[in-house]
Amino acid sequence: MSGSSSGSSTSSSPQKRVYLDFNATTPLAPEVIQAVEQSMHEAWGNPSSDHEEGARARAVINQARDDVARMIGAMPQDVLFMSGGTEANNVVLHCAVTHFRKWCLSQDSPIYHHLRPHIITTKVEHDAVKLPLTHRYAIEADVTYLGVENLPEAVLESIRPSTCLITVMLANNETGIMFSVAHIGRLLAEVNKKRENEGLFKVLLHTDAAQAIGKVPVDVTDLNIDYLTIVGHKYYGPRIGALYIRGLGHKTPVYPLFYGGGQERGYRPGTENTPMIAGLGRASLLVHNNVQDYYTSMKKTRNYMERQLKKVFGNQVKINCVDPCIPMDPEACSVPPRGPKQQHFIFPRLPNTSSVSFYYRQVSGPEILRHCRLVQASCGAACHAHTENQSK
Amino acid sequence: MSGSSSGSSTSSSPQKRVYLDFNATTPLAPEVIQAVEQSMHEAWGNPSSDHEEGARARAVINQARDDVARMIGAMPQDVLFMSGGTEANNVVLHCAVTHFRKWCLSQDSPIYHHLRPHIITTKVEHDAVKLPLTHRYAIEADVTYLGVENLPEAVLESIRPSTCLITVMLANNETGIMFSVAHIGRLLAEVNKKRENEGLFKVLLHTDAAQAIGKVPVDVTDLNIDYLTIVGHKYYGPRIGALYIRGLGHKTPVYPLFYGGGQERGYRPGTENTPMIAGLGRASLLVHNNVQDYYTSMKKTRNYMERQLKKVFGNQVKINCVDPCIPMDPEACSVPPRGPKQQHFIFPRLPNTSSVSFYYRQVSGPEILRHCRLVQASCGAACHAHTENQSK
C-alpha cells in the first residue's frame, strides 16, 4: 500500500473511496492537467517545423526539459524524453551492452572480441529491468542478481573485468525500501579510476528512480550515476518518462533503441508528445518546489495509518520494512530530507509506502482487499497482472 | 503543403494565419481534447490495477481499441497501442527480421542457418522506415529500395527466397501520392501460396498508413496486409500511435522491441498512456464516421487553392503529382471514396496534399516561405530538421 494523501474521491462514484495505491500510479496534479490542456490548445504544432506553430511547440518542450533537469540537479541537455520508464530502462541496457561490444571490438587483443558483457543488478528490480535481462539479454550477457542485504559491498565484490553496467533501483515499488545508490556511486568512482589505469571498460551506473522522485530529493550529482530513469505518473505527472544521461553522448554513451526522424537529437526519434512533455515539466517543477513538504506530509500520513493499523489489529498485523527510527513515533525521526550528501543513507524507506502483512490463517492478501469496501490498495506491482507474453 | 481546412487561427497570435502543414501535424479535434481531458480526470488509475480505479482506465482503453480497430476494419485484439508511428515501424522491422531468423534456425538444411533476411521497400519511405534500414539493419539484412514507378510489378520481381518483408507506405507525406498497396497485397497472396508449397518463408507485408488515415478510407482487409502503422497526430488525434497486426501472435509474428510489465499482453510493455489512448480512440471514431465528408471537403479546398495558384502565378507555378482526373476541374473527378475494393486504385493522390514548384530563378522554397506573412507550409518532412544523430 502506498499513499501520499489520506483519501481520494472521484465524481463518478457515489461512495468516497480511500486510494492507497500511489506507487501503482498517481492521479494528475491539477497544474499538470492544466499544462497538458494548454499545450493541446496552443502548442499543437510539430516541434520540428520551421514555422511559428513549430517554434511554439519547441518552446514548450525546452521549458519542460529545463524543469525536469532542475528537479534532479541535471543539465537540460542531459535529459531525453521517452514514452515511459520501461522504454528508458530498456534504452539503458541497450546503451551499456552496445557500447561494451563496440569497446571490445576496438581492443587489439582478440581475447576481448567475443567477451560477453556482464551486468550487476538486484533481485528486486522492476520488471522493466528484470525482464529485458531475463529475455533479451538472457543469452548475450551474464547477469548477477544480488540480494538487497549489504548492497554496496556486494555490488563491488561482484564486479568483473567484463562488467559494463550496474543497475540498482533507488527505491523499491512494493516495500518502499531505498537502496544506497549514492554509496555505490562513490565506491564505483574509485573502482573506475583503477579500471581506467588497467585499460578496462568503465562500469556504468544506472538507477531507476521511478518510485523515489517526488517523495525524497533526488540529485544526480549526489547519486554519482550515469543514467537515471524518470517516470511521470509516479509523481502526479503524465504517462511519459525521461532518461537522464550524464554528459549525454560525450561522457556517457547513448544509442537509440529505434531510428526515425531527428527528434531528441536523433537519440529518441518520433514526433514529440508535446502535451505530455509539458505535463511532465509541470509535475517536475512542483516536485522541485515542494518535495520537502511532500516528504513531511506523506510520512506523517503514512505513520498515522500504521499506528492506527497496530491499534486496531495489534499482533495480527505486521508493518514490514520499518526503519529503526520511524516505527510508532514519527516525530522521533525528524531527518531533514535536504541534508548533506551523506544523509542520503538515512532514508531507509520512502515516506509514502507501507508494506503490511496480516496474520490470519488461510486468508490471502487479494481476499482481504476484495472485502475492503473503501480501500483501494494492492498486493504487489500492478504491472504483474494481465500478462500473456511474459515468458516469451 | 498539405491542408485540410482553408485556414487556422490561434488565440495567441493577433494575426490570422493560414496553416498549410497538416501533413507535419494536425491540431487536435475538440472532441479529442475532450476525451483526453476526461480521461485525465476520471481514468487516471493504473489499467493493470485490480481495483476500481484500474477497471475504469481499462474500460477507456478497451473502448479506444474498439474505435481504432473499427476505423481500419480490424479486430480489436489485433491492435497494439504504441508511443507513435516511429516505434510502430521499428517494431515491424524487428518482428519480420526476428521471425525470419527463428524460422531459418528451425530449418533442417544448414544452408538456411546463416541466411540474411531480405527486405523490399521504396526510395520514398518516411525516415521511420528508411533510417532503421540504413542503420540498424545495414549489416544484418539485405534491402532493395525501389523507385515508385511500376511499383506492384517491381515489388514482385524483387522477391527472393530470403525475402521476409515488403514495406511500402500507403501515401507519401511530401507529395500525397498513394501507392497501390492493395494491389501488392493481392499479388503477394498468390506468391505466398506458391512459397508455402515450396517450403519458403511467408513474405510479410507492412504499410505505414500515417498519412492516408483520415483522408481516404483505409481497410486492412482490402489492403491484404499483415502490419499497418497508425499515427494519431496526422488525423487530429494525439501524439501516440498504434500498430495493426493481422491475427496478432498466431497468424502474424510479433516480438516486443522492449520488455517490462505485462501491458498490451506483454507485446508492448509500459504503463498505458490512457489519456492519449482515449484521444486516439476518439479521433479514430471521428474518422470512421466522417471520412467521406473529410475526403470531399479536403479535395474541394485543395483543388480551389491549386486553381487560385495557377490563376495568380500562371506558368511560374507547377502543381506536382497531379493525377490525370483531377487537375483543374475537381467536379470531373467525383470518385466515391467508399467504392468497391478495386476502386482503391483510383485515388492516386491524397485529397489534402499539394506539392507545388515555383519557377523563379535563384529563389529557394525556404526563401519563399520566409517571405510569406500568413502562410505556414513546409518544403519537406518536418522531421528532417534539427538533426544531430542521423549518421550514427
Side-chain angles (χ1 to χ4, degrees):
Chain A
M1 295 180 191
S2 51
S4 54
S5 82
S6 60
S8 160
S9 70
T10 65
S11 57
S12 64
S13 168
Q15 197 171 42
K16 188 175 169 74
R17 294 191 301 277
V18 180
Y19 183 74
L20 292 178
D21 205 11
F22 288 79
N23 281 5
T25 198
T26 57
L28 292 100
E31 296 90 337
V32 171
I33 292 179
Q34 191 191 21
V36 173
E37 287 177 359
Q38 191 174 350
S39 171
M40 286 195 292
H41 285 283
E42 295 175 13
W44 52 264
N46 188 322
S48 297
S49 292
D50 273 333
H51 48 61
E52 197 176 322
E53 296 300 347
R56 204 157 38 224
R58 275 199 300 283
V60 167
I61 291 170
N62 289 342
Q63 180 62 55
R65 202 185 309 274
D66 285 350
D67 290 335
V68 171
R70 196 178 300 122
M71 175 182 70
I72 55 167
M75 303 293 283
Q77 63 267 30
D78 287 352
V79 172
L80 291 183
F81 292 114
M82 308 221 157
S83 66
T86 297
E87 182 185 336
N89 287 348
N90 276 260
V91 166
V92 170
L93 296 171
H94 175 68
C95 291
V97 170
T98 306
H99 197 64
F100 179 79
R101 282 202 192 114
K102 286 203 170 196
W103 179 87
C104 286
L105 290 173
S106 74
Q107 301 302 300
D108 290 336
S109 167
I111 203 168
Y112 286 107
H113 295 182
H114 297 286
L115 198 60
R116 283 160 61 89
H118 173 238
I119 296 166
I120 300 169
T121 188
T122 76
K123 290 176 180 168
V124 299
E125 295 300 307
H126 188 273
D127 279 354
V129 166
K130 197 187 292 175
L131 291 186
L133 289 174
T134 53
H135 291 83
R136 181 165 180 152
Y137 299 103
I139 297 167
E140 47 185 305
D142 297 318
V143 184
T144 299
Y145 298 93
L146 296 172
V148 294
E149 311 81 20
N150 213 11
L151 203 51
E153 293 72 17
V155 166
L156 271 285
E157 285 162 12
S158 305
I159 292 177
R160 307 175 189 171
S162 62
T163 303
C164 65
L165 179 72
I166 296 165
T167 171
V168 174
M169 66 194 342
L170 197 48
N172 185 266
N173 45 321
E174 295 184 347
T175 61
I177 289 290
M178 292 194 70
F179 299 123
S180 43
V181 175
H183 194 176
I184 296 172
R186 278 197 292 280
L187 297 174
L188 184 62
E190 295 302 314
V191 171
N192 273 331
K193 271 186 203 162
K194 286 185 200 157
R195 286 173 70 97
E196 198 180 345
N197 292 334
E198 292 164 10
L200 290 171
F201 186 84
K202 183 204 166 201
V203 180
L204 298 158
L205 179 58
H206 167 241
T207 190
D208 179 348
Q211 291 299 347
I213 289 175
K215 293 133 200 173
V216 293
V218 173
D219 184 288
V220 293
T221 307
D222 288 358
L223 289 171
N224 235 322
I225 38 87
D226 300 300
Y227 304 101
L228 181 138
T229 295
I230 297 161
V231 181
H233 75 101
K234 305 290 188 181
Y235 61 97
Y236 298 82
R239 288 273 165 77
I240 60 161
L243 179 61
Y244 161 78
I245 305 172
R246 178 185 306 280
L248 189 154
H250 57 98
K251 277 190 186 162
T252 306
V254 52
Y255 299 89
L257 202 54
F258 39 82
Y259 294 87
Q263 295 89 355
E264 296 293 274
R265 291 167 280 164
Y267 295 117
R268 204 299 179 183
T271 306
E272 299 89 337
N273 194 335
T274 317
M276 293 275 131
I277 289 172
L280 190 73
R282 194 64 58 91
S284 302
L285 185 64
L286 288 171
V287 167
H288 177 71
N289 291 339
N290 304 303
V291 68
Q292 188 130 8
D293 292 342
Y294 295 165
Y295 174 87
T296 307
S297 161
M298 287 174 183
K299 201 167 82 167
K300 190 176 163 192
T301 309
R302 190 265 318 268
N303 290 357
Y304 172 79
M305 185 191 80
E306 292 184 350
R307 281 199 305 272
Q308 294 303 108
L309 282 169
K310 279 308 259 184
K311 205 167 159 183
V312 173
F313 294 97
N315 287 336
Q316 298 296 96
V317 70
K318 187 185 166 226
I319 316 294
N320 302 309
C321 307
V322 177
D323 46 81
C325 62
I326 288 187
M328 292 304 110
D329 182 13
E331 299 316 313
C333 181
S334 56
V335 176
R338 281 214 178 275
K341 289 179 185 179
Q342 57 272 29
Q343 291 198 0
H344 271 291
F345 293 104
I346 52 175
F347 304 126
R349 191 165 61 136
L350 288 179
N352 78 321
T353 307
S354 254
S355 170
V356 175
S357 301
F358 290 93
Y359 294 113
Y360 291 99
R361 279 189 191 167
Q362 296 176 323
V363 181
S364 69
E367 279 176 289
I368 292 174
L369 287 178
R370 268 198 296 278
H371 283 86
C372 290
R373 281 183 303 111
L374 303 182
V375 170
Q376 296 187 89
S378 62
C379 295
C383 61
H384 285 155
H386 316 293
T387 303
E388 177 182 296
N389 190 42
Q390 287 297 321
S391 61
K392 290 185 185 177
Chain B
M1 296 181 192
S2 51
S4 55
S5 81
S6 59
S8 160
S9 69
T10 65
S11 56
S12 64
S13 166
Q15 196 172 44
K16 188 176 170 74
R17 295 191 300 277
V18 180
Y19 183 74
L20 292 178
D21 205 11
F22 288 80
N23 281 6
T25 198
T26 57
L28 291 101
E31 297 88 338
V32 170
I33 291 179
Q34 192 191 21
V36 174
E37 287 177 358
Q38 191 175 352
S39 170
M40 286 195 292
H41 286 283
E42 296 175 13
W44 53 264
N46 189 321
S48 297
S49 292
D50 273 335
H51 48 62
E52 196 175 323
E53 296 301 345
R56 201 155 43 224
R58 276 200 297 284
V60 167
I61 291 170
N62 289 342
Q63 180 62 54
R65 202 185 309 276
D66 286 349
D67 290 335
V68 171
R70 195 178 302 123
M71 175 182 70
I72 56 167
M75 304 293 282
Q77 63 268 31
D78 287 352
V79 173
L80 291 182
F81 293 113
M82 308 223 156
S83 66
T86 296
E87 182 185 337
N89 287 348
N90 276 261
V91 166
V92 169
L93 297 171
H94 176 68
C95 290
V97 169
T98 306
H99 198 63
F100 179 78
R101 282 202 192 115
K102 286 203 168 196
W103 179 87
C104 284
L105 290 173
S106 73
Q107 301 301 300
D108 290 335
S109 167
I111 205 168
Y112 287 106
H113 295 182
H114 297 285
L115 199 60
R116 283 160 61 90
H118 173 238
I119 295 166
I120 300 169
T121 189
T122 75
K123 291 176 181 169
V124 300
E125 295 300 308
H126 188 273
D127 277 354
V129 165
K130 197 187 292 176
L131 291 186
L133 289 174
T134 53
H135 290 83
R136 181 167 181 149
Y137 299 102
I139 296 168
E140 47 185 305
D142 297 317
V143 184
T144 299
Y145 297 93
L146 296 171
V148 295
E149 313 78 23
N150 212 11
L151 204 51
E153 291 73 17
V155 166
L156 272 285
E157 285 162 12
S158 304
I159 292 176
R160 307 175 188 170
S162 62
T163 303
C164 65
L165 179 72
I166 296 165
T167 172
V168 174
M169 66 195 338
L170 198 49
N172 184 265
N173 44 321
E174 295 185 346
T175 62
I177 288 290
M178 294 195 69
F179 299 123
S180 42
V181 175
H183 193 176
I184 295 170
R186 279 197 292 279
L187 296 175
L188 184 62
E190 294 302 312
V191 170
N192 273 331
K193 272 186 200 163
K194 284 185 201 158
R195 286 174 70 98
E196 197 181 345
N197 292 335
E198 292 164 10
L200 291 171
F201 187 85
K202 183 205 166 200
V203 180
L204 298 158
L205 178 59
H206 166 241
T207 190
D208 179 349
Q211 291 299 346
I213 288 174
K215 293 133 200 174
V216 295
V218 172
D219 184 286
V220 293
T221 308
D222 289 358
L223 290 171
N224 234 321
I225 38 90
D226 300 298
Y227 303 102
L228 180 136
T229 296
I230 297 160
V231 182
H233 75 101
K234 305 291 189 181
Y235 61 96
Y236 297 82
R239 288 273 165 76
I240 59 160
L243 179 61
Y244 161 80
I245 304 172
R246 178 185 305 281
L248 189 154
H250 58 96
K251 277 190 188 161
T252 306
V254 53
Y255 299 90
L257 202 52
F258 39 82
Y259 294 87
Q263 295 89 354
E264 296 294 275
R265 289 167 279 166
Y267 295 117
R268 203 303 180 180
T271 307
E272 300 88 337
N273 195 334
T274 317
M276 292 275 133
I277 289 172
L280 190 73
R282 193 64 58 91
S284 302
L285 185 65
L286 288 171
V287 166
H288 177 73
N289 291 339
N290 304 303
V291 68
Q292 189 130 6
D293 292 343
Y294 295 164
Y295 174 87
T296 308
S297 162
M298 287 174 183
K299 200 167 83 169
K300 191 175 162 193
T301 309
R302 190 266 317 267
N303 290 356
Y304 171 79
M305 185 191 78
E306 292 185 347
R307 282 199 303 274
Q308 294 303 109
L309 282 170
K310 280 307 255 184
K311 206 167 159 184
V312 173
F313 295 97
N315 287 336
Q316 298 297 95
V317 70
K318 186 183 168 228
I319 315 293
N320 302 311
C321 307
V322 177
D323 45 81
C325 62
I326 287 185
M328 295 300 110
D329 182 10
E331 300 314 316
C333 184
S334 55
V335 177
R338 281 217 177 274
K341 290 179 183 182
Q342 58 272 29
Q343 290 197 4
H344 271 291
F345 293 104
I346 53 175
F347 304 126
R349 190 165 62 136
L350 289 178
N352 77 322
T353 307
S354 254
S355 170
V356 175
S357 302
F358 289 93
Y359 294 113
Y360 291 98
R361 278 189 192 168
Q362 295 175 322
V363 182
S364 69
E367 280 177 288
I368 292 173
L369 287 178
R370 268 199 295 279
H371 283 84
C372 291
R373 282 182 302 113
L374 304 180
V375 169
Q376 296 187 91
S378 62
C379 295
C383 60
H384 285 155
H386 316 295
T387 304
E388 177 183 294
N389 189 41
Q390 288 297 319
S391 61
K392 291 184 184 179

